[in-house]
Amino acid sequence: MANSLLAKSAQGATLLILLQVGSRALTFIVNQVLLRYLSPQILGVSTQLELLSISTLYFARESIRVALQRQRGENEQAKTEKADEGDVGETKKEGRAVSSYEPSRRIQGVVNVSYTAIGLGIPLTLLFGWLYLRNADIAVLQTPHIERSLQIYAFATIVELFNEPLFAVAQQQMLYGTRASSEMLATFSKCIVNSSIAIWASRSGIDLGVLPFAIGQLTYAFVLFLGYLTRVIPICKSTSVSLIPKFLPQTNSLLPHSLITLAATLYGQSIFKQLLTSGDSYLIATLTSLPVQGAYALAANYGALIARILFQPIEESSRSLFARLLPPQSQSTPTNPDPNPTDTKAVAQASKNLTTILHLYSLLSLFAITLGPPLSPLLLRTIAGPRWTKTEAPSVLAAYCYYIPFLATNGILEAFVSAVATEAQIRNQGLWSIAFSCVFVGTGYLALSIADLGARGLVLANAVNMAARITWSWRFVNGYLRRAGRGGETLDWEEMVPSRGALVVGVFARFSLAGLAGAGDGGLGDLITAGVVVGGAGVGVLFFERDFLGECYGMLRPEAEAGNTDTKKEK
């Protein structure tokens, strides 16, 4: 079980990372083209409409997706072990292999629950659209075709919500390739439609406002829906699962009660978490000037790229892996702390995977801390232009580099928590989050208003907030491992930190770039120097961490063949 799931998880994380890189690169290129044909006001309004759609989708489906990731068949472990031993055959339907033992009742329950996202999303779409028009600035309301564009965005959001049952099936089967190909094709179609209509309208002298973006978003929704539909229907036929809600066998109910209560608990937490995520925006808008806000926005956008491109896919695939590997909390609680031997092996595997990811994150953090700050001015001078080096942006981006380790560690630990925590523990985490938010606001106020640290103070407040959340999650993870039969063993810091040799390489690289940060002018010589130092540091870390990296490769290599076999599902 652990072997095949680990291979699928690693493959899924890789595909999702490539999806993030490809989609963001494509979006960046298209935006650079559109800058020649559209005004800043149109781009600003399109950003607002896209944020409106994203917010609606988040509040409608995020908690349900997380709850469905935790769905685990009662006999899934035993059946998967048999599959690993070759005891279970596979049937092929329309070029896609589907395990013959897949419990259709579980998948049908997941499909049924996914429709609650549609039920939540439709009224939210109407409500958010009405609130947007009611509170929009006059300049926004005067944008050509603004109401029609908003209607199209709303319709596209609803179409995307109807994709949730298909997404749920693909997620249960861990068909990451299906997700990557469908979303990439949808993104490509959206960019082509956006740019084509905008360029045509500009050259024709027609002012369409944000209508090209609205039509592009609708194209994205339909292409995404069709991409999932063509790949999921064969699976549903093979497993006798209906994409229309129907009563579950033996229970004579539509919705599994445990999933609904878990989703409701997660929903309340997701609302609070979203507000916390946007807390820095509210705080800096209230307590700082516009130039400081601009410097923070630029630095945060660059600094957060690594989180969106790398951390987010790893967290998502790991959450799914942990939810499938680990026994449900009802099987491993203080009142029943001794899961069966198979579960104990699964917990050991999950602990090993978590430790490995944290070690990899520590190596990445080593580069961020040692190379990021001295290279920040050079990066901004090269990408954003020399005028930004005269602002607070370089120092903010340098401070953000120190924040990356907190961001990485908190993300993977909370992925573990969300995969195994009971409803009561999730509610307890929500209560602690209120305390953490108070710490964040208090630290932010002291740093911005009292210490006058500017945007760097906000980075500091975020780091303090993340440190508090890491402490809570760390205690939870260790407590779970002790209860789950690890013999009192907990996560070991020594297994997660870089080797001494790697640390020495990082320190040496930092001192090598110190002069560049102070006197570099961003010329070719500086770029060559930076490239040599970064390359040398990379080679040095690879050398001193060769045993650990070899172990990582060994963990995945035995499953590569199985992963390749599973990939045929999606071809």
Side-chain angles (χ1 to χ4, degrees):
M1 174 184 179
N3 290 342
S4 61
L5 289 179
L6 179 60
K8 288 183 178 180
S9 179
Q11 180 189 41
T14 302
L15 289 173
L16 293 180
I17 291 171
L18 293 176
L19 172 63
Q20 288 287 335
V21 173
S23 61
R24 294 189 182 280
L26 182 60
T27 302
F28 176 80
I29 294 172
V30 171
N31 286 340
Q32 298 308 305
V33 174
L34 290 178
L35 287 176
R36 300 176 179 270
Y37 298 95
L38 299 176
S39 66
Q41 178 182 346
I42 297 300
L43 290 177
V45 175
S46 70
T47 301
Q48 293 180 5
L49 293 178
E50 186 171 358
L51 178 61
L52 188 69
S53 176
I54 292 173
S55 299
T56 303
L57 293 171
Y58 179 86
F59 287 117
R61 71 188 186 187
E62 182 64 22
S63 60
I64 296 172
R65 284 188 171 187
V66 175
L68 295 182
Q69 273 188 315
R70 292 170 49 128
Q71 177 72 345
R72 191 173 186 262
E74 295 176 356
N75 300 318
E76 182 181 21
Q77 179 175 330
K79 291 175 180 177
T80 309
E81 287 175 347
K82 290 180 181 180
D84 289 339
E85 295 171 4
D87 293 339
V88 179
E90 290 188 341
T91 60
K92 293 188 177 181
K93 187 74 171 178
E94 296 186 18
R96 186 176 281 100
V98 180
S99 299
S100 60
Y101 57 77
E102 180 61 43
S104 60
R105 178 176 174 272
R106 173 170 59 89
I107 299 181
Q108 187 64 59
V110 165
V111 170
N112 292 352
V113 173
S114 66
Y115 272 87
T116 59
I118 301 174
L120 288 171
I122 292 177
L124 283 177
T125 300
L126 299 176
L127 175 62
F128 287 173
W130 177 76
L131 290 174
Y132 178 79
L133 287 179
R134 182 182 176 88
N135 298 283
D137 295 335
I138 297 179
V140 172
L141 296 176
Q142 292 176 344
T143 303
H145 306 287
I146 180 62
E147 291 190 9
R148 179 62 58 83
S149 299
L150 179 60
Q151 293 170 358
I152 295 176
Y153 261 98
F155 182 60
T157 301
I158 294 174
V159 171
E160 195 166 345
L161 284 171
F162 272 92
N163 185 59
E164 284 307 293
L166 303 171
F167 176 87
V169 174
Q171 185 183 60
Q172 284 293 302
Q173 298 290 79
M174 301 184 76
L175 301 181
Y176 295 105
T178 293
R179 177 179 176 182
S181 60
S182 299
E183 293 190 10
M184 192 63 198
L185 180 60
T187 301
F188 178 78
S189 302
K190 172 185 175 180
C191 291
I192 293 298
V193 171
N194 276 358
S195 55
S196 299
I197 296 178
I199 293 173
W200 170 81
S202 177
R203 292 182 175 179
S204 301
I206 303 174
D207 190 358
L208 295 179
V210 292
L211 201 57
F213 292 92
I215 298 174
Q217 187 65 29
L218 185 60
T219 302
Y220 174 90
F222 273 113
V223 173
L224 183 67
F225 180 81
L226 293 175
Y228 272 103
L229 187 66
T230 56
R231 291 167 173 82
V232 169
I233 281 182
I235 295 177
C236 293
K237 289 182 178 179
S238 298
T239 55
S240 300
V241 171
S242 172
L243 290 173
I244 305 298
K246 71 176 185 179
F247 287 97
L248 302 176
Q250 300 179 351
T251 62
N252 198 30
S253 63
L254 277 174
L255 303 175
H257 180 265
S258 59
L259 275 180
I260 291 298
T261 54
L262 176 61
T265 302
L266 290 170
Y267 190 79
Q269 187 189 43
S270 68
I271 294 177
F272 191 75
K273 187 176 181 179
Q274 179 69 2
L275 295 176
L276 280 179
T277 302
S278 304
D280 56 350
S281 300
Y282 295 123
L283 199 60
I284 196 170
T286 304
L287 300 178
T288 62
S289 62
L290 286 176
V292 173
Q293 294 178 37
Y296 178 79
L298 180 69
N301 283 336
Y302 283 128
L305 275 177
I306 189 172
R308 291 191 292 265
I309 292 177
L310 183 61
F311 297 155
Q312 183 178 346
I314 292 177
E315 291 164 15
E316 184 173 344
S317 60
S318 296
R319 183 169 58 236
S320 180
L321 173 65
F322 294 145
R324 289 172 177 269
L325 273 178
L326 300 176
Q329 277 287 296
S330 58
Q331 299 178 15
S332 178
T333 65
T335 59
N336 182 23
D338 297 319
N340 58 59
T342 303
D343 285 338
T344 303
K345 294 179 182 179
V347 171
Q349 181 65 58
S351 176
K352 178 63 176 178
N353 293 343
L354 179 59
T355 300
T356 301
I357 292 174
L358 286 170
H359 192 158
L360 290 171
Y361 277 1
S362 72
L363 296 179
L364 184 63
S365 299
L366 177 64
F367 285 107
I369 292 174
T370 58
L371 302 179
L375 289 178
S376 295
L378 179 62
L379 174 67
L380 288 178
R381 186 183 294 113
T382 303
I383 298 178
R387 63 176 180 172
W388 284 98
T389 59
K390 301 177 182 179
T391 68
E392 198 177 349
S395 62
V396 178
L397 183 58
Y400 208 96
C401 293
Y402 294 105
Y403 173 58
I404 287 176
F406 294 93
L407 197 64
T409 304
N410 177 74
I412 191 62
L413 289 178
E414 288 195 347
F416 187 100
V417 173
S418 64
V420 303
T422 63
E423 295 173 32
Q425 290 167 335
I426 292 174
R427 287 192 292 269
N428 183 43
Q429 184 187 25
L431 293 176
W432 275 101
S433 296
I434 297 176
F436 300 153
S437 65
C438 293
V439 172
F440 167 70
V441 173
T443 306
Y445 177 79
L446 291 175
L448 294 174
S449 298
I450 306 302
D452 195 23
L453 294 178
R456 290 174 297 171
L458 191 58
V459 178
L460 174 62
N462 276 316
V464 172
N465 177 41
M466 285 294 177
R469 292 164 64 177
I470 289 171
T471 301
W472 189 93
S473 298
W474 182 268
R475 289 171 59 87
F476 176 92
V477 172
N478 283 330
Y480 179 90
L481 294 178
R482 283 192 295 267
R483 292 193 305 270
R486 289 274 287 163
E489 184 179 352
T490 59
L491 296 178
D492 187 358
W493 276 106
E494 294 183 359
E495 298 179 9
M496 304 174 193
V497 298
S499 63
R500 294 180 180 178
L503 291 174
V504 171
V505 170
V507 172
F508 181 78
R510 176 63 180 268
F511 280 109
S512 300
L513 293 173
L516 182 65
D521 58 2
L524 180 60
D526 291 336
L527 294 175
I528 294 176
T529 300
V532 170
V533 173
V534 171
V539 172
V541 170
L542 286 175
F543 175 77
F544 287 108
E545 292 287 338
R546 61 188 184 279
D547 292 338
F548 166 72
L549 297 176
E551 182 182 352
C552 294
Y553 181 73
M555 289 172 62
L556 298 176
R557 187 176 182 182
E559 290 78 23
E561 295 182 2
N564 292 334
T565 302
D566 294 333
T567 305
K568 295 178 181 178
K569 285 183 176 182
E570 308 181 32
K571 292 184 179 179

